[in-house]
């Protein structure tokens, strides 16, 4: 608990206490803890001097913030146009079936979070799935299944 | 423009629905119309707070020379020589579709039903997801809480079709001073319906230090 | 590296760096652009470093490994270019590296099997390949040439010389004039003349003295577009130099660079470049001793397409939700914190140094008079040569898709090309010779947009594509204004019905009427242009809509409710692979005899199609 407290302080110290650093701080906290816990949200508000309503409004507006803990592994199915034409919707649906969660959600055991993203900019390899930091180009339902079994 | 200023002494002349009118330089088209008793329907507009052009019901067609465009009158600044039409085919197409959308978004609001009927819109082709909903997300409550009351107890959460007016985490917010301004400005019964979320059960709130 | 205190220092520094170069030293340029990286280019680069170290080549041949930005020909990635020989190796795998080092770097021989072959012709160098030969690179000039983490490399290639020329030898007014003369129009989508925008900011600042801000929009949100990603990753100093010149022209001391958070490499490379530029003295106080101060802050986007809209982007930089506001007062007059603010996109700004270098008049003579210059496109979808291309404005669409792109693999021609991202339109094959410039595309109901060019063939359904874009925008709508929040949802409801074979021809006209109402009534450009994909597809592919609504058929075989999966008994060997993979367990049959699909239970997931090795699954 104590260690965590110093860590959040260290993150807060990266930015001056001005409202315009709200999003940067939320991003850093999201990156560090995988989600934005209510107590951290309050600390950020105090630091940059905005009411909780503004931080909550921002954190629920942008897609990259999560108010609940995310899974250990992030699965991101690219649903850019090129990937869509090459069957990304079928990939997303098969992952929903296999993992038993809808896109945008995390499995109960907190192993996997499943998301669709607008475009990863690697259209040459459509359809593309990103699992953590690995790009899987020309992805197939079976290929993804195999990959997930390995991790 | 500067010669016009000299000529009209801070006033600009424009035409609304064929009627020549004068306006102060910093007026919007809507303010000018209201001043001249020309009716333009609105929902998200209130004199007490800043206009934000969200509901789009107050659209009008603005013409300047051979340029014309659909604009929202609550924000569009007046300009010398501007010609405004409040009810053209394009304007009515926008307005009627908006009213039809509203019938699907807040089907439980009788205020919305009455307004829609006045424009001949009696049913909706859009899917109704929440039959008891009355809120049209005009944001008057959010603006009055911030701009007039100055406490920011409520805000918008999420975006797009999931957008909602709420307190953080949807639990009662101690910042709320229970002044009721939000209920007063709400064009439907929506704010009344969510008061418990915003301020909680008032009788349980004694001792929270908000004894204004 | 030495700090430069005047323009002359920069030129001297460059001369010193060039003189210190060993021109006999071979250079291996490994493409680490988005496409190649996803195909394992980082492992290829690693293999080169290791092989060279293992062989002790440091001492004798001393090859320099450059990990560069996008070379463009993504389809053939990972790409490796060698200098000075100019050799171009395609689809290089880590296990090929040993051979390249041995044969090419040590013995000076060509590894034929890694060369690119097209229509029986084998090409040794990139410049001979038709894909490259037909391009003209201005905005992407340094991509693939320089190593974006090496400032020296950028300087040798001329980085900051144009900025030095502007700051030291031109008045801000002259810079604005040069941009006006160039006719450069914003590459972000709207095509507003850049010089005029800068002029407006200068005028606004005169009326209201105080801070002026500039913002570079790197929040490339259009799906299927990666030009700006490639530029930010591969030539970060080019972007910063464009910003510096712009800042000087409009009198801004603070710039913001808003980068999409999904582009972590771009953020990293730009951050490093910022530090390098500050150390060099090209950012910070009293740049080149001219008394001009300018610095840049990087803001990461947080996942909201609407932040491509200027006023929403400003909201985001200010730390708020990205809701646009009405632009009846333009943002060059009242933008960030209510001050005059100039917003330009990445590609626009990376053209600026070249314009200052070569002159606005030179630039104005490239392409058509009303849309001068070149434009970068990401060419993706059902096209052979997927990649990043840059061509003069005004070339016919077919030049890009067929001559450079190589057409649709296995098909006579494309069905449609979608340009302009979610706000754009679908251009049918019959308009294949349309000139690709701002005005010509608008005339046919599409638009330039930021430069995504998505090629579709006869297996792509226009109803599905329209629905895809509308659904995309419905999810990205900020929800502030009614026509966008509810109207787009309503349009998706119409398209959902059509894709199920429901609806009527009258409903098609109702959808057009709704689309017009949203175009007229929405607050910002996201909503205002959202109906475009629907309106253009109805305009050019009405028959395909009617096939869904009237005949209950999806001719492209895409819309799930209107297709069935079946097994071709002649081709099926009864191997049972589909049975094992079917999530619905709806395929039956004895081993080694043809199988059948129970249509009722089938969810059309495509697993059988994907797993069948004999092409025995029919979709119709």
């Amino acid at each position: 608990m104590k260690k965590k407290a110093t860590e959040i302080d260290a993150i807060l110290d990266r930015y001056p206490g001005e409202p315009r650093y709200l999003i940067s701080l939320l991003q850093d906290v999201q990156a560090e803890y995988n989600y934005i816990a209510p107590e951290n949200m309050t600390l950020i508000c105090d630091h940059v001097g905005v009411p909780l309503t503004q931080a909550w409004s921002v954190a629920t507006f942008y897609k990259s913030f999560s108010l609940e803990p995310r899974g250990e592994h992030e699965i991101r199915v690219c649903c850019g146009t090129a990937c869509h034409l090459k069957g990304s919707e079928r990939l997303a649906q098969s992952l929903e079936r296999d993992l038993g969660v809808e896109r945008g959600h995390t499995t109960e055991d907190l192993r996997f979070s499943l998301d669709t993203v607008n475009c990863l900019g690697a259209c040459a390899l459509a359809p593309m799935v990103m699992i953590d930091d690995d790009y899987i180009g020309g992805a197939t339902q079976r290929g993804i299944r195999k990959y997930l079994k390995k991790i | 423009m500067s010669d016009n200023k000299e000529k009209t002494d801070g006033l600009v002349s424009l035409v609304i629905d064929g009627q020549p009118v004068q306006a102060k330089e910093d007026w919007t088209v809507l303010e000018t119309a209201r001043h001249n008793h020309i009716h333009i329907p609105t929902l998200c507009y209130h004199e007490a707070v800043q206009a934000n052009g969200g509901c789009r019901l107050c659209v009008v067609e603005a013409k300047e020379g051979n340029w014309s465009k659909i604009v929202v009158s609550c924000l569009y600044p007046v300009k010398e020589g501007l010609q405004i039409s409040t009810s053209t085919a394009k304007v009515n197409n926008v307005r009627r579709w908006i009213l039809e959308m509203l019938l699907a978004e807040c089907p439980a609001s009788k205020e919305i039903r009455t307004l829609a009927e006045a424009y001949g819109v009696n049913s909706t082709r859009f899917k109704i997801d929440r039959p008891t909903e009355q809120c049209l997300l005009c944001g008057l409550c959010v603006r009055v809480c911030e701009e007039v009351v100055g406490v920011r107890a409520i805000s918008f959460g999420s975006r797009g079709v999931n957008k909602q007016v709420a307190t953080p985490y949807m639990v009662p917010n101690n910042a709320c001073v229970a002044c009721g301004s939000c209920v007063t400005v709400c064009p439907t019964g929506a704010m009344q319906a969510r008061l418990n979320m915003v301020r909680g059960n008032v009788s349980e709130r004694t001792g929270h230090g908000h004894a204004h | 590296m030495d700090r430069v205190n005047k323009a002359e220092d920069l030129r001297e520094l460059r001369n010193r760096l060039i003189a210190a170069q060993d021109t006999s030293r071979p250079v291996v340029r490994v493409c680490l652009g988005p496409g190649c990286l996803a195909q394992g280019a980082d492992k290829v680069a690693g293999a080169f470093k290791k092989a060279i170290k293992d062989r002790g080549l440091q001492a004798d041949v001393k090859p320099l490994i450059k990990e560069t930005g996008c070379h463009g020909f993504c389809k053939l990635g990972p790409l490796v270019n060698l200098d000075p020989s100019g050799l171009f190796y395609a689809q290089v795998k880590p296990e090929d590296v040993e051979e390249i080092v041995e044969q090419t770097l040590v013995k000076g021989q060509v590894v034929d099997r890694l060369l690119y072959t097209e229509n029986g012709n084998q090409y040794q160098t990139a410049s001979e390949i038709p894909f490259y030969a037909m391009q003209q690179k201005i905005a992407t000039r340094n991509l693939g040439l320089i190593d974006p983490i090496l400032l020296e490399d950028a300087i040798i290639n001329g980085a900051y010389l144009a900025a030095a020329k502007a700051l030291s030898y031109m008045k801000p007014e002259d810079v604005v004039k040069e941009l006006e003369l160039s006719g450069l129009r914003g590459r972000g989508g709207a095509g507003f003349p850049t010089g005029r925008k800068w002029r407006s900011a200068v005028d606004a600042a005169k009326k209201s003295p105080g801070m002026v801000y500039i913002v570079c929009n790197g929040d490339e949100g259009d799906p299927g577009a990666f030009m700006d990603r490639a530029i930010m990753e591969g030539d970060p100093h080019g972007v910063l130099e464009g910003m510096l010149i712009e800042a000087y022209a409009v009198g801004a001391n603070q710039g913001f660079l808003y980068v999409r958070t999904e582009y972590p490499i771009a953020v990293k490379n730009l951050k490093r470049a910022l530090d390098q530029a500050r150390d060099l003295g090209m950012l910070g106080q009293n740049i080149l001793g001219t008394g001009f101060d300018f610095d840049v802050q990087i803001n990461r986007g947080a996942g909201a397409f609407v932040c491509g809209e200027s006023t929403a982007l400003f909201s985001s930089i200010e730390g708020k939700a990205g809701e646009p506001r009405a632009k009846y007062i333009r943002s060059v007059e009242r933008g960030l914190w209510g001050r005059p603010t100039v917003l330009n996109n990445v590609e626009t700004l990376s053209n600026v140094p070249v314009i200052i270098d070569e002159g606005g008049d030179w630039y104005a003579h490239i392409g058509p008079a009303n849309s001068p210059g070149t434009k970068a496109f990401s060419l993706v979808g059902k096209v052979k040569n997927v990649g990043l291309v840059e061509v003069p404005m005004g070339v016919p669409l077919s030049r890009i898709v067929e001559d450079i792109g190589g057409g649709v693999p296995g098909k006579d021609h494309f069905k449609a090309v979608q340009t302009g991202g979610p706000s754009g339109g679908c251009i049918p094959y019959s308009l294949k010779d349309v000139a690709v410039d701002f005005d010509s595309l608008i005339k046919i109901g599409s638009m330039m947009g930021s430069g995504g060019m998505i090629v579709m063939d006869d297996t792509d359904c226009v109803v599905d594509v329209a629905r895809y874009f509308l659904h995309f925008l419905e999810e990205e709508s900020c929800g502030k204004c009614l026509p966008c929040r509810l109207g787009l949802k309503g349009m998706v409801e119409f398209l959902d019905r059509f894709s199920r074979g429901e609806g009527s021809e009258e409903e098609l006209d109702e959808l057009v009427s709704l689309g017009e109402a949203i175009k007229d009534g929405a607050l910002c450009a996201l909503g205002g242009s959202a109906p475009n994909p629907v309106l253009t597809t109805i305009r050019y592919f009405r028959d395909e809509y009617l096939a869904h609504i009237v005949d209950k058929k999806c001719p492209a075989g895409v819309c799930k409710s209107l297709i069935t999966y079946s097994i071709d008994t002649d081709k099926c060997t009864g191997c049972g692979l589909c049975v094992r993979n079917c999530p619905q367990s709806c395929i039956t049959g004895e081993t080694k005899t043809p199988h059948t699909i129970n249509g009722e239970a089938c969810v059309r997931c495509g697993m059988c199609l994907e797993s069948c090795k004999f092409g025995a699954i029919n979709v119709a």
Side-chain angles (χ1 to χ4, degrees):
Chain A
M1 194 62 210
K2 191 157 184 236
K3 188 168 169 270
K4 206 171 174 180
T6 50
E7 273 177 33
I8 181 77
D9 285 346
I11 296 172
L12 294 172
D13 282 346
R14 289 176 197 163
Y15 301 93
E18 296 169 34
R20 64 168 162 146
Y21 294 106
L22 171 65
I23 292 178
S24 300
L25 271 169
L26 288 172
Q27 284 171 322
D28 286 9
V29 168
Q30 173 79 39
E32 186 72 34
Y33 301 102
N34 244 349
Y35 82 114
I36 297 158
E39 62 273 21
N40 286 341
M41 183 110 87
T42 307
L43 289 171
I44 292 172
C45 287
D46 292 346
H47 184 77
V48 299
V50 301
L52 189 59
T53 37
Q54 185 176 340
W56 185 76
S57 165
V58 164
T60 55
F61 183 90
Y62 295 99
K63 213 176 161 183
S64 62
F65 301 124
S66 173
L67 299 184
E68 284 151 24
R70 305 280 295 163
E72 192 186 334
H73 299 287
E74 295 268 354
I75 306 170
R76 298 192 286 169
V77 182
C78 180
C79 287
T81 320
C83 290
H84 175 79
L85 294 182
K86 294 192 174 173
S88 60
E89 184 53 35
R90 284 204 300 266
L91 284 175
Q93 287 173 359
S94 102
L95 276 162
E96 286 178 329
R97 270 197 310 274
D98 289 356
L99 299 172
V101 290
E102 282 178 29
R103 57 198 76 181
H105 291 86
T106 301
T107 55
E108 254 175 47
D109 61 2
L110 293 183
R111 280 267 289 159
F112 299 105
S113 288
L114 175 64
D115 274 301
T116 53
V117 292
N118 290 339
C119 185
L120 291 167
C123 312
L125 301 153
M128 160 76 58
V129 175
M130 217 177 158
I131 300 180
D132 298 327
D133 291 327
D134 282 351
Y135 290 97
I136 302 169
T140 61
Q141 301 183 37
R142 294 170 67 207
I144 300 292
R145 231 181 239 180
K146 273 187 200 154
Y147 189 100
L148 290 182
K149 267 183 198 145
K150 276 191 292 179
I151 58 174
Chain B
M1 279 298 103
S2 53
D3 359 318
N4 286 330
K5 263 183 215 164
E6 285 164 31
K7 201 168 59 195
T8 55
D9 204 20
L11 290 177
V12 292
S13 304
L14 59 156
V15 175
I16 303 182
D17 288 342
Q19 180 184 334
V21 293
Q22 288 209 315
K24 286 193 181 153
E25 274 180 323
D26 59 350
W27 279 5
T28 61
V29 168
L30 180 66
E31 283 168 323
T32 312
R34 295 229 160 145
H35 187 77
N36 289 281
H37 309 289
I38 299 168
H39 177 69
I40 298 173
T42 59
L43 276 170
C44 74
Y45 178 81
H46 196 288
E47 295 85 348
V49 294
Q50 283 183 23
N52 83 342
C55 81
R56 320 301 285 176
L57 204 61
C58 70
V59 286
V60 294
E61 195 159 339
K63 247 188 224 153
E64 260 183 89
N66 48 11
W67 168 95
S68 94
K69 196 179 179 347
I70 302 287
V71 299
V72 283
S73 56
C74 68
L75 286 170
Y76 203 74
V78 293
K79 210 171 166 188
E80 185 69 31
L82 191 67
Q83 289 194 314
I84 297 290
S85 308
T86 65
S87 167
T88 64
K90 266 177 179 259
V91 167
N92 290 333
N93 189 43
V94 175
R95 225 173 255 164
R96 290 172 55 92
W97 276 110
I98 287 174
L99 288 166
E100 203 173 320
M101 291 168 200
L102 281 170
L103 285 182
E105 177 160 61
C106 25
S109 163
K110 63 174 190 305
E111 296 85 354
I112 296 295
R113 269 201 311 274
T114 311
L115 180 67
E117 277 162 17
Y119 283 84
V121 179
N122 300 310
S123 63
T124 181
R125 281 162 283 188
F126 299 111
K127 222 157 81 191
I128 294 173
D129 293 331
R130 294 180 299 266
T132 58
E133 188 59 76
Q134 298 192 63
C135 177
L136 64 126
L137 298 170
C138 70
L140 278 175
C141 50
V142 175
R143 279 176 280 156
V144 80
C145 189
E146 174 175 354
E147 295 173 27
V148 180
V149 189
V151 299
R152 300 176 79 178
I154 45 176
S155 68
F156 285 116
S158 302
R159 71 179 189 212
V161 288
N162 297 317
K163 202 181 187 82
Q164 56 183 327
V165 171
T167 52
Y169 302 102
M170 281 165 286
V171 295
N173 189 345
N174 285 336
C176 171
V177 296
C179 68
S181 301
C182 51
V183 179
T184 313
V185 293
C186 181
T188 69
M191 201 59 222
Q192 183 70 45
R194 69 165 80 83
L195 263 190
N196 273 349
M197 179 235 282
V198 176
R199 63 179 192 200
N201 190 327
V202 177
S203 59
E204 289 169 18
R205 277 188 46 170
T206 46
H208 274 293
H210 289 283
H212 311 254
Chain C
M1 186 159 314
D2 297 344
R3 207 182 148 80
V4 290
N5 296 313
K6 52 185 190 298
E8 203 43 46
D9 291 354
L10 182 68
R11 207 158 300 129
E12 277 170 21
L13 172 65
R14 178 164 182 254
N15 291 340
R16 277 205 307 280
L17 289 170
I18 292 173
Q21 269 187 313
D22 180 354
T23 45
S24 66
R25 184 180 184 188
V27 177
V28 180
R29 288 182 281 122
V30 183
C31 175
L32 253 66
C36 288
L37 188 63
Q39 297 178 84
D42 51 337
K43 296 186 183 76
V44 173
F48 267 109
K49 285 179 191 159
K50 184 171 182 298
I52 285 160
K53 199 174 170 203
D54 288 353
R55 289 173 153 265
L57 284 188
Q58 299 286 20
D60 51 346
V61 197
K62 295 192 293 183
L64 172 67
I65 310 299
K66 283 194 198 174
E67 300 181 2
T68 73
C70 182
H71 293 200
F73 209 159
C74 310
K75 183 68 192 174
L76 300 181
L79 302 171
V80 174
N81 272 280
L82 295 113
D83 297 323
S85 66
L87 280 170
F88 173 84
Y89 290 145
Q91 293 177 315
V92 178
K93 292 178 210 53
E95 47 275 28
D96 299 325
V97 167
E98 192 59 45
E99 191 178 347
I100 298 175
V101 172
E102 172 69 29
Q103 295 298 324
T104 308
L105 291 178
V106 176
K107 294 184 186 158
Q109 288 169 357
V110 177
V111 182
D112 284 341
R113 66 176 184 87
L114 294 173
L115 294 176
Y116 174 61
T117 307
E118 184 183 304
N119 299 330
N121 300 318
Q122 197 170 52
Y123 298 95
Q124 292 219 337
T125 67
S127 54
E128 300 162 349
I129 300 172
F131 176 85
Y132 288 110
M134 282 184 263
Q135 296 191 44
Q136 180 179 3
K137 298 193 175 200
I138 295 177
T140 62
R141 62 197 176 277
N142 287 324
L143 303 194
L145 285 181
I146 60 169
D147 188 329
I149 70 171
L150 299 176
L151 175 62
E152 296 85 343
D153 219 15
I155 291 177
I156 288 169
N157 273 278
Y160 296 113
L161 285 179
K165 176 179 171 184
L167 266 65
S168 302
Y169 307 108
M170 294 168 82
K171 289 202 272 301
E173 169 63 21
D174 300 335
V175 178
V176 175
K177 273 192 184 144
E178 210 60 43
L179 260 292
E180 284 175 332
L181 185 62
S182 76
L184 175 68
R185 294 171 65 172
R187 268 35 176 170
F192 192 84
T194 307
R196 203 193 304 167
K197 195 185 267 185
W198 293 11
R199 166 83 57 208
S200 303
V202 172
D203 292 345
K206 268 186 210 147
K207 273 191 238 158
S208 157
M211 282 301 272
V212 175
Y213 298 106
I214 67 162
V215 178
C216 172
N217 184 357
D219 193 41
E220 184 174 53
D222 283 6
F226 56 88
M227 303 76 50
D228 292 349
R229 170 176 173 179
I231 293 171
M232 289 186 285
E233 287 182 7
D235 189 14
H237 286 290
V239 180
L240 295 181
E241 185 177 4
M243 288 183 78
L244 173 57
I245 295 170
E246 177 189 11
Y248 176 71
V250 303
N253 303 117
Q254 175 68 56
F256 296 88
L257 217 168
Y258 192 91
V259 190
R260 194 167 172 233
T261 194
E262 287 87 344
Y263 292 170
I265 303 168
V267 173
K268 202 168 83 186
N269 288 1
L270 285 165
K271 275 196 172 149
R272 187 189 296 105
L274 265 186
D275 289 338
Q276 290 171 339
R278 285 181 191 133
D279 288 346
L280 180 67
M282 290 308 294
L283 284 180
Q285 302 215 317
N286 192 19
I287 297 167
L288 296 177
T290 59
F292 179 65
D293 306 334
F294 177 64
D295 212 326
V296 173
Q297 176 186 312
I298 292 179
N299 288 69
R300 285 160 294 160
F305 177 76
V306 68
C307 288
E309 174 74 23
S310 62
T311 52
L313 193 153
F314 298 155
S315 254
S316 183
I317 291 178
E318 291 173 6
K320 302 176 199 154
E323 281 187 1
R325 60 161 177 77
K327 284 196 279 192
Y328 300 140
I329 296 166
R330 294 172 306 159
S331 49
V332 287
E333 290 170 36
R334 204 180 295 168
L336 276 172
W337 295 287
R339 296 295 309 160
T341 304
V342 198
L343 176 71
N344 284 119
N345 103 319
V346 169
E347 189 185 334
T348 312
L349 287 172
S350 66
N351 275 295
V352 167
V354 185
I355 291 171
I356 294 304
D357 238 358
E358 304 276 348
D361 187 52
W362 168 84
Y363 193 85
H365 283 88
I366 302 167
N370 56 0
S371 288
T374 54
K375 177 78 192 80
F377 293 98
S378 59
L379 189 59
V380 301
K382 309 291 175 64
V383 63
K384 194 165 148 252
N385 303 331
V386 171
L388 177 73
V389 303
E390 186 174 351
V391 291
M393 289 270 192
V395 301
L397 181 65
S398 57
R399 167 84 58 81
I400 301 173
V401 178
E402 297 183 331
D403 301 342
I404 295 176
V408 182
K411 302 272 165 78
D412 288 343
H413 60 75
F414 63 84
K415 170 178 177 175
V417 175
Q418 209 279 341
T419 67
S423 322
C426 284
I427 305 170
Y429 180 71
S430 58
L431 295 176
K432 70 181 166 66
D433 293 321
V434 64
V436 179
D437 61 57
F438 287 105
D439 306 322
S440 305
L441 292 183
I442 293 275
K443 225 174 275 169
I444 58 166
S446 188
M447 61 186 264
M448 179 73 82
S450 62
M453 201 170 259
I454 295 119
V455 182
M456 298 188 272
D457 69 6
D458 57 3
T459 63
D460 297 315
C461 168
V462 293
V463 178
D464 175 71
V465 168
R467 194 181 152 279
Y468 163 78
F469 282 118
L470 258 294
H471 179 66
F472 172 91
L473 292 169
E474 180 197 354
E475 293 215 317
E476 293 297 337
S477 166
C478 81
K480 178 175 175 177
C481 84
L482 264 153
C484 184
R485 182 176 76 241
L486 298 175
L488 300 188
K489 178 172 177 282
M491 286 186 88
V492 172
E493 287 168 10
F494 271 93
L495 293 166
D496 276 343
R497 282 200 296 279
F498 297 165
S499 72
R500 288 195 301 266
E502 298 161 14
S504 62
E505 205 169 344
E506 291 90 74
E507 275 184 48
L508 202 52
D509 298 331
E510 286 173 24
L511 179 58
V512 172
S513 156
L514 172 57
E516 297 293 348
I518 295 171
K519 277 183 89 151
D520 285 334
L523 190 157
C524 79
L526 187 154
S529 59
N532 283 355
V534 176
L535 298 177
T536 56
T537 48
I538 293 179
R539 175 168 165 192
Y540 293 119
F541 297 94
R542 196 177 174 93
D543 286 349
E544 197 168 335
Y545 277 88
L546 292 178
H548 286 73
I549 298 167
V550 180
D551 308 334
K552 319 290 175 206
K553 288 221 157 58
C554 174
V558 173
C559 294
K560 274 189 171 188
S561 310
L562 302 177
I563 55 171
T564 46
Y565 278 71
S566 61
I567 294 177
D568 184 335
T569 48
D570 292 339
K571 288 183 184 163
C572 178
T573 63
C575 73
L577 197 55
C578 56
V579 178
R580 286 196 293 283
N581 282 301
C582 176
Q584 293 297 98
S585 305
C586 66
I587 306 179
T588 50
E590 296 290 314
T591 311
K592 292 188 181 165
T593 60
H595 288 19
T596 50
I597 297 176
N598 169 9
E600 301 256 305
C602 174
V603 295
R604 298 155 184 98
C605 70
M607 266 312 251
C608 52
L609 183 68
E610 188 187 274
S611 57
C612 182
K613 294 192 170 85
F614 306 97
I617 310 289
N618 288 332
V619 183

